[in-house]
mmCIF file of all heavy atoms in Angstrom:
data_model
loop_
_atom_site.group_PDB
_atom_site.id
_atom_site.type_symbol
_atom_site.label_atom_id
_atom_site.label_comp_id
_atom_site.label_asym_id
_atom_site.label_seq_id
_atom_site.Cartn_x
_atom_site.Cartn_y
_atom_site.Cartn_z
ATOM 1 N N ARG A 46 -19.069 11.860 33.778
ATOM 2 C CA ARG A 46 -19.598 12.903 34.676
ATOM 3 C C ARG A 46 -20.632 13.779 33.994
ATOM 4 O O ARG A 46 -21.597 14.221 34.620
ATOM 5 C CB ARG A 46 -18.447 13.788 35.181
ATOM 6 C CG ARG A 46 -17.559 13.148 36.225
ATOM 7 C CD ARG A 46 -16.671 14.192 36.879
ATOM 8 N NE ARG A 46 -15.849 14.879 35.895
ATOM 9 C CZ ARG A 46 -14.618 14.490 35.553
ATOM 10 N NH1 ARG A 46 -14.097 13.414 36.119
ATOM 11 N NH2 ARG A 46 -13.915 15.162 34.664
ATOM 12 N N ASN A 47 -20.424 14.062 32.701
ATOM 13 C CA ASN A 47 -21.240 15.071 32.017
ATOM 14 C C ASN A 47 -22.223 14.431 31.040
ATOM 15 O O ASN A 47 -22.043 14.470 29.827
ATOM 16 C CB ASN A 47 -20.325 16.065 31.282
ATOM 17 C CG ASN A 47 -19.357 16.744 32.240
ATOM 18 O OD1 ASN A 47 -19.748 17.231 33.289
ATOM 19 N ND2 ASN A 47 -18.085 16.766 31.878
ATOM 20 N N HIS A 48 -23.286 13.838 31.583
ATOM 21 C CA HIS A 48 -24.269 13.152 30.746
ATOM 22 C C HIS A 48 -25.129 14.121 29.926
ATOM 23 O O HIS A 48 -25.790 13.708 28.979
ATOM 24 C CB HIS A 48 -25.204 12.302 31.613
ATOM 25 C CG HIS A 48 -24.530 11.112 32.213
ATOM 26 N ND1 HIS A 48 -24.038 10.076 31.459
ATOM 27 C CD2 HIS A 48 -24.258 10.797 33.513
ATOM 28 C CE1 HIS A 48 -23.495 9.165 32.254
ATOM 29 N NE2 HIS A 48 -23.606 9.578 33.499
ATOM 30 N N HIS A 49 -25.114 15.397 30.308
ATOM 31 C CA HIS A 49 -25.981 16.358 29.621
ATOM 32 C C HIS A 49 -25.379 16.888 28.328
ATOM 33 O O HIS A 49 -26.081 17.483 27.509
ATOM 34 C CB HIS A 49 -26.273 17.549 30.550
ATOM 35 C CG HIS A 49 -25.031 18.321 30.931
ATOM 36 N ND1 HIS A 49 -24.130 17.839 31.858
ATOM 37 C CD2 HIS A 49 -24.539 19.513 30.498
ATOM 38 C CE1 HIS A 49 -23.137 18.715 31.992
ATOM 39 N NE2 HIS A 49 -23.363 19.726 31.176
ATOM 40 N N ILE A 50 -24.088 16.676 28.108
ATOM 41 C CA ILE A 50 -23.433 17.210 26.913
ATOM 42 C C ILE A 50 -23.666 16.262 25.741
ATOM 43 O O ILE A 50 -23.313 15.084 25.808
ATOM 44 C CB ILE A 50 -21.914 17.380 27.138
ATOM 45 C CG1 ILE A 50 -21.649 18.337 28.306
ATOM 46 C CG2 ILE A 50 -21.237 17.894 25.871
ATOM 47 C CD1 ILE A 50 -20.179 18.463 28.665
ATOM 48 N N PRO A 51 -24.256 16.745 24.636
ATOM 49 C CA PRO A 51 -24.437 15.880 23.461
ATOM 50 C C PRO A 51 -23.093 15.391 22.944
ATOM 51 O O PRO A 51 -22.127 16.152 22.873
ATOM 52 C CB PRO A 51 -25.128 16.799 22.442
ATOM 53 C CG PRO A 51 -25.720 17.912 23.249
ATOM 54 C CD PRO A 51 -24.793 18.102 24.412
ATOM 55 N N LEU A 52 -23.025 14.128 22.566
ATOM 56 C CA LEU A 52 -21.753 13.566 22.117
ATOM 57 C C LEU A 52 -21.221 14.257 20.870
ATOM 58 O O LEU A 52 -20.006 14.386 20.689
ATOM 59 C CB LEU A 52 -21.907 12.064 21.856
ATOM 60 C CG LEU A 52 -22.088 11.181 23.096
ATOM 61 C CD1 LEU A 52 -22.253 9.728 22.700
ATOM 62 C CD2 LEU A 52 -20.918 11.336 24.059
ATOM 63 N N GLU A 53 -22.136 14.712 19.994
ATOM 64 C CA GLU A 53 -21.661 15.359 18.773
ATOM 65 C C GLU A 53 -20.926 16.667 19.063
ATOM 66 O O GLU A 53 -20.117 17.134 18.263
ATOM 67 C CB GLU A 53 -22.811 15.609 17.796
ATOM 68 C CG GLU A 53 -23.919 16.507 18.309
ATOM 69 C CD GLU A 53 -25.076 15.712 18.884
ATOM 70 O OE1 GLU A 53 -24.856 14.574 19.338
ATOM 71 O OE2 GLU A 53 -26.207 16.235 18.873
ATOM 72 N N ALA A 54 -21.202 17.261 20.241
ATOM 73 C CA ALA A 54 -20.552 18.516 20.597
ATOM 74 C C ALA A 54 -19.108 18.312 21.037
ATOM 75 O O ALA A 54 -18.323 19.250 21.056
ATOM 76 C CB ALA A 54 -21.329 19.217 21.709
ATOM 77 N N VAL A 55 -18.761 17.074 21.388
ATOM 78 C CA VAL A 55 -17.405 16.798 21.871
ATOM 79 C C VAL A 55 -16.744 15.693 21.054
ATOM 80 O O VAL A 55 -15.840 15.005 21.529
ATOM 81 C CB VAL A 55 -17.427 16.411 23.376
ATOM 82 C CG1 VAL A 55 -17.732 17.622 24.227
ATOM 83 C CG2 VAL A 55 -18.444 15.305 23.631
ATOM 84 N N ALA A 56 -17.200 15.511 19.810
ATOM 85 C CA ALA A 56 -16.650 14.459 18.953
ATOM 86 C C ALA A 56 -15.151 14.646 18.776
ATOM 87 O O ALA A 56 -14.672 15.765 18.579
ATOM 88 C CB ALA A 56 -17.347 14.473 17.593
ATOM 89 N N GLY A 57 -14.411 13.555 18.864
ATOM 90 C CA GLY A 57 -12.972 13.589 18.635
ATOM 91 C C GLY A 57 -12.147 14.072 19.807
ATOM 92 O O GLY A 57 -10.929 14.145 19.720
ATOM 93 N N GLN A 58 -12.801 14.382 20.952
ATOM 94 C CA GLN A 58 -12.077 14.934 22.097
ATOM 95 C C GLN A 58 -11.673 13.889 23.131
ATOM 96 O O GLN A 58 -11.031 14.206 24.132
ATOM 97 C CB GLN A 58 -12.919 16.031 22.764
ATOM 98 C CG GLN A 58 -13.166 17.232 21.855
ATOM 99 C CD GLN A 58 -13.978 18.320 22.538
ATOM 100 O OE1 GLN A 58 -13.994 18.420 23.758
ATOM 101 N NE2 GLN A 58 -14.664 19.142 21.753
ATOM 102 N N GLY A 59 -12.075 12.652 22.930
ATOM 103 C CA GLY A 59 -11.659 11.591 23.845
ATOM 104 C C GLY A 59 -12.205 11.738 25.250
ATOM 105 O O GLY A 59 -11.498 11.469 26.229
ATOM 106 N N ILE A 60 -13.477 12.134 25.380
ATOM 107 C CA ILE A 60 -14.023 12.406 26.716
ATOM 108 C C ILE A 60 -14.165 11.154 27.574
ATOM 109 O O ILE A 60 -14.343 11.261 28.781
ATOM 110 C CB ILE A 60 -15.380 13.141 26.635
ATOM 111 C CG1 ILE A 60 -16.437 12.276 25.935
ATOM 112 C CG2 ILE A 60 -15.225 14.479 25.949
ATOM 113 C CD1 ILE A 60 -17.850 12.832 26.090
ATOM 114 N N PHE A 61 -14.084 9.981 26.957
ATOM 115 C CA PHE A 61 -14.160 8.739 27.733
ATOM 116 C C PHE A 61 -12.787 8.115 27.989
ATOM 117 O O PHE A 61 -12.706 7.033 28.568
ATOM 118 C CB PHE A 61 -15.058 7.722 27.022
ATOM 119 C CG PHE A 61 -16.509 8.126 26.968
ATOM 120 C CD1 PHE A 61 -17.098 8.464 25.760
ATOM 121 C CD2 PHE A 61 -17.276 8.183 28.114
ATOM 122 C CE1 PHE A 61 -18.433 8.840 25.702
ATOM 123 C CE2 PHE A 61 -18.614 8.552 28.078
ATOM 124 C CZ PHE A 61 -19.196 8.888 26.865
ATOM 125 N N VAL A 62 -11.725 8.786 27.559
ATOM 126 C CA VAL A 62 -10.379 8.212 27.732
ATOM 127 C C VAL A 62 -9.383 9.170 28.380
ATOM 128 O O VAL A 62 -8.353 8.725 28.901
ATOM 129 C CB VAL A 62 -9.796 7.727 26.380
ATOM 130 C CG1 VAL A 62 -10.722 6.729 25.710
ATOM 131 C CG2 VAL A 62 -9.518 8.890 25.439
ATOM 132 N N LYS A 63 -9.672 10.456 28.393
ATOM 133 C CA LYS A 63 -8.676 11.455 28.807
ATOM 134 C C LYS A 63 -8.143 11.204 30.219
ATOM 135 O O LYS A 63 -6.928 11.220 30.452
ATOM 136 C CB LYS A 63 -9.274 12.857 28.721
ATOM 137 C CG LYS A 63 -8.277 13.963 29.042
ATOM 138 C CD LYS A 63 -8.916 15.339 28.908
ATOM 139 C CE LYS A 63 -7.911 16.427 29.282
ATOM 140 N NZ LYS A 63 -8.531 17.776 29.249
ATOM 141 N N GLU A 64 -9.035 10.992 31.183
ATOM 142 C CA GLU A 64 -8.594 10.795 32.565
ATOM 143 C C GLU A 64 -7.791 9.505 32.728
ATOM 144 O O GLU A 64 -6.873 9.432 33.546
ATOM 145 C CB GLU A 64 -9.799 10.800 33.511
ATOM 146 C CG GLU A 64 -10.377 12.182 33.790
ATOM 147 C CD GLU A 64 -11.245 12.719 32.655
ATOM 148 O OE1 GLU A 64 -11.495 11.954 31.692
ATOM 149 O OE2 GLU A 64 -11.680 13.876 32.733
ATOM 150 N N LEU A 65 -8.134 8.487 31.963
ATOM 151 C CA LEU A 65 -7.353 7.251 31.985
ATOM 152 C C LEU A 65 -5.942 7.494 31.441
ATOM 153 O O LEU A 65 -4.948 6.969 31.971
ATOM 154 C CB LEU A 65 -8.066 6.175 31.161
ATOM 155 C CG LEU A 65 -9.322 5.575 31.802
ATOM 156 C CD1 LEU A 65 -10.206 4.936 30.739
ATOM 157 C CD2 LEU A 65 -8.955 4.561 32.866
ATOM 158 N N GLU A 66 -5.864 8.289 30.393
ATOM 159 C CA GLU A 66 -4.550 8.598 29.820
ATOM 160 C C GLU A 66 -3.712 9.450 30.775
ATOM 161 O O GLU A 66 -2.494 9.269 30.878
ATOM 162 C CB GLU A 66 -4.726 9.298 28.471
ATOM 163 C CG GLU A 66 -5.295 8.368 27.403
ATOM 164 C CD GLU A 66 -5.491 9.014 26.061
ATOM 165 O OE1 GLU A 66 -5.741 10.247 26.009
ATOM 166 O OE2 GLU A 66 -5.419 8.314 25.043
ATOM 167 N N GLU A 67 -4.361 10.354 31.486
ATOM 168 C CA GLU A 67 -3.639 11.158 32.480
ATOM 169 C C GLU A 67 -3.091 10.266 33.595
ATOM 170 O O GLU A 67 -1.962 10.466 34.064
ATOM 171 C CB GLU A 67 -4.566 12.226 33.064
ATOM 172 C CG GLU A 67 -4.904 13.336 32.078
ATOM 173 C CD GLU A 67 -5.975 14.291 32.598
ATOM 174 O OE1 GLU A 67 -6.605 13.967 33.641
ATOM 175 O OE2 GLU A 67 -6.180 15.350 31.979
ATOM 176 N N ALA A 68 -3.886 9.269 34.001
ATOM 177 C CA ALA A 68 -3.430 8.339 35.037
ATOM 178 C C ALA A 68 -2.248 7.505 34.543
ATOM 179 O O ALA A 68 -1.334 7.189 35.317
ATOM 180 C CB ALA A 68 -4.581 7.433 35.465
ATOM 181 N N LEU A 69 -2.254 7.159 33.267
ATOM 182 C CA LEU A 69 -1.121 6.438 32.676
ATOM 183 C C LEU A 69 0.138 7.297 32.691
ATOM 184 O O LEU A 69 1.208 6.846 33.116
ATOM 185 C CB LEU A 69 -1.450 6.062 31.231
ATOM 186 C CG LEU A 69 -1.920 4.651 30.924
ATOM 187 C CD1 LEU A 69 -2.230 4.526 29.428
ATOM 188 C CD2 LEU A 69 -0.895 3.611 31.348
ATOM 189 N N LEU A 70 -0.002 8.515 32.232
ATOM 190 C CA LEU A 70 1.153 9.403 32.151
ATOM 191 C C LEU A 70 1.705 9.736 33.537
ATOM 192 O O LEU A 70 2.911 9.924 33.709
ATOM 193 C CB LEU A 70 0.769 10.690 31.402
ATOM 194 C CG LEU A 70 0.514 10.518 29.902
ATOM 195 C CD1 LEU A 70 -0.139 11.767 29.322
ATOM 196 C CD2 LEU A 70 1.810 10.201 29.170
ATOM 197 N N ASP A 71 0.811 9.799 34.540
ATOM 198 C CA ASP A 71 1.234 10.096 35.916
ATOM 199 C C ASP A 71 1.813 8.879 36.626
ATOM 200 O O ASP A 71 2.371 9.006 37.722
ATOM 201 C CB ASP A 71 0.042 10.602 36.746
ATOM 202 C CG ASP A 71 -0.427 11.980 36.297
ATOM 203 O OD1 ASP A 71 0.307 12.624 35.537
ATOM 204 O OD2 ASP A 71 -1.532 12.389 36.709
ATOM 205 N N GLY A 72 1.656 7.692 36.036
ATOM 206 C CA GLY A 72 2.160 6.485 36.658
ATOM 207 C C GLY A 72 1.227 5.874 37.685
ATOM 208 O O GLY A 72 1.609 4.935 38.398
ATOM 209 N N ARG A 73 -0.012 6.367 37.773
ATOM 210 C CA ARG A 73 -0.967 5.799 38.732
ATOM 211 C C ARG A 73 -1.484 4.438 38.278
ATOM 212 O O ARG A 73 -1.930 3.634 39.089
ATOM 213 C CB ARG A 73 -2.146 6.762 38.935
ATOM 214 C CG ARG A 73 -1.812 7.974 39.780
ATOM 215 C CD ARG A 73 -2.988 8.924 39.849
ATOM 216 N NE ARG A 73 -3.100 9.740 38.643
ATOM 217 C CZ ARG A 73 -4.243 10.117 38.102
ATOM 218 N NH1 ARG A 73 -5.397 9.715 38.618
ATOM 219 N NH2 ARG A 73 -4.251 10.870 37.010
ATOM 220 N N ILE A 74 -1.477 4.189 36.973
ATOM 221 C CA ILE A 74 -1.854 2.894 36.419
ATOM 222 C C ILE A 74 -0.788 2.473 35.418
ATOM 223 O O ILE A 74 0.005 3.296 34.952
ATOM 224 C CB ILE A 74 -3.254 2.925 35.750
ATOM 225 C CG1 ILE A 74 -3.261 3.924 34.578
ATOM 226 C CG2 ILE A 74 -4.340 3.261 36.760
ATOM 227 C CD1 ILE A 74 -4.568 3.930 33.775
ATOM 228 N N ASP A 75 -0.781 1.179 35.093
ATOM 229 C CA ASP A 75 0.229 0.657 34.173
ATOM 230 C C ASP A 75 -0.299 0.452 32.758
ATOM 231 O O ASP A 75 0.475 0.412 31.804
ATOM 232 C CB ASP A 75 0.770 -0.671 34.699
ATOM 233 C CG ASP A 75 1.448 -0.515 36.045
ATOM 234 O OD1 ASP A 75 2.441 0.235 36.125
ATOM 235 O OD2 ASP A 75 0.973 -1.131 37.017
ATOM 236 N N LEU A 76 -1.589 0.262 32.641
ATOM 237 C CA LEU A 76 -2.223 0.137 31.332
ATOM 238 C C LEU A 76 -3.677 0.542 31.466
ATOM 239 O O LEU A 76 -4.242 0.530 32.562
ATOM 240 C CB LEU A 76 -2.120 -1.283 30.782
ATOM 241 C CG LEU A 76 -2.873 -2.389 31.517
ATOM 242 C CD1 LEU A 76 -3.227 -3.528 30.556
ATOM 243 C CD2 LEU A 76 -2.038 -2.954 32.663
ATOM 244 N N ALA A 77 -4.278 0.924 30.342
ATOM 245 C CA ALA A 77 -5.685 1.295 30.328
ATOM 246 C C ALA A 77 -6.395 0.479 29.267
ATOM 247 O O ALA A 77 -5.832 0.192 28.208
ATOM 248 C CB ALA A 77 -5.846 2.788 30.035
ATOM 249 N N VAL A 78 -7.633 0.099 29.562
ATOM 250 C CA VAL A 78 -8.460 -0.628 28.599
ATOM 251 C C VAL A 78 -9.586 0.291 28.148
ATOM 252 O O VAL A 78 -10.286 0.876 28.978
ATOM 253 C CB VAL A 78 -9.035 -1.921 29.209
ATOM 254 C CG1 VAL A 78 -10.017 -2.584 28.256
ATOM 255 C CG2 VAL A 78 -7.911 -2.885 29.550
ATOM 256 N N HIS A 79 -9.734 0.419 26.838
ATOM 257 C CA HIS A 79 -10.764 1.283 26.257
ATOM 258 C C HIS A 79 -11.585 0.518 25.219
ATOM 259 O O HIS A 79 -11.072 -0.424 24.583
ATOM 260 C CB HIS A 79 -10.142 2.468 25.501
ATOM 261 C CG HIS A 79 -9.110 3.240 26.239
ATOM 262 N ND1 HIS A 79 -9.397 4.080 27.288
ATOM 263 C CD2 HIS A 79 -7.759 3.326 26.059
ATOM 264 C CE1 HIS A 79 -8.277 4.649 27.723
ATOM 265 N NE2 HIS A 79 -7.279 4.205 26.989
ATOM 266 N N SER A 80 -12.826 0.940 25.043
ATOM 267 C CA SER A 80 -13.513 0.609 23.801
ATOM 268 C C SER A 80 -12.813 1.430 22.733
ATOM 269 O O SER A 80 -12.772 2.663 22.821
ATOM 270 C CB SER A 80 -14.992 0.992 23.879
ATOM 271 O OG SER A 80 -15.667 0.187 24.816
ATOM 272 N N LEU A 81 -12.262 0.773 21.737
ATOM 273 C CA LEU A 81 -11.416 1.480 20.781
ATOM 274 C C LEU A 81 -12.153 2.603 20.071
ATOM 275 O O LEU A 81 -11.554 3.617 19.716
ATOM 276 C CB LEU A 81 -10.837 0.489 19.760
ATOM 277 C CG LEU A 81 -9.816 1.034 18.769
ATOM 278 C CD1 LEU A 81 -8.637 1.681 19.481
ATOM 279 C CD2 LEU A 81 -9.332 -0.053 17.831
ATOM 280 N N LYS A 82 -13.449 2.459 19.876
ATOM 281 C CA LYS A 82 -14.206 3.506 19.179
ATOM 282 C C LYS A 82 -14.229 4.823 19.965
ATOM 283 O O LYS A 82 -14.530 5.870 19.390
ATOM 284 C CB LYS A 82 -15.628 3.050 18.890
ATOM 285 C CG LYS A 82 -16.524 2.841 20.084
ATOM 286 C CD LYS A 82 -17.884 2.317 19.654
ATOM 287 C CE LYS A 82 -18.804 2.053 20.835
ATOM 288 N NZ LYS A 82 -19.130 3.262 21.621
ATOM 289 N N ASP A 83 -13.886 4.775 21.261
ATOM 290 C CA ASP A 83 -13.858 5.997 22.072
ATOM 291 C C ASP A 83 -12.554 6.764 21.933
ATOM 292 O O ASP A 83 -12.444 7.896 22.423
ATOM 293 C CB ASP A 83 -14.063 5.663 23.555
ATOM 294 C CG ASP A 83 -15.463 5.159 23.868
ATOM 295 O OD1 ASP A 83 -16.394 5.503 23.114
ATOM 296 O OD2 ASP A 83 -15.618 4.431 24.873
#
Side-chain angles (χ1 to χ4, degrees):
R46 286 193 302 268
N47 302 312
H48 290 295
H49 62 284
I50 301 175
L52 289 179
E53 61 264 26
V55 288
Q58 296 181 24
I60 63 168
F61 293 111
V62 304
K63 184 179 178 184
E64 284 78 6
L65 287 159
E66 291 180 330
E67 289 172 349
L69 261 178
L70 290 168
D71 291 347
R73 285 176 281 145
I74 61 175
D75 298 299
L76 66 153
V78 174
H79 310 288
S80 293
L81 186 56
K82 67 183 178 63
D83 292 334

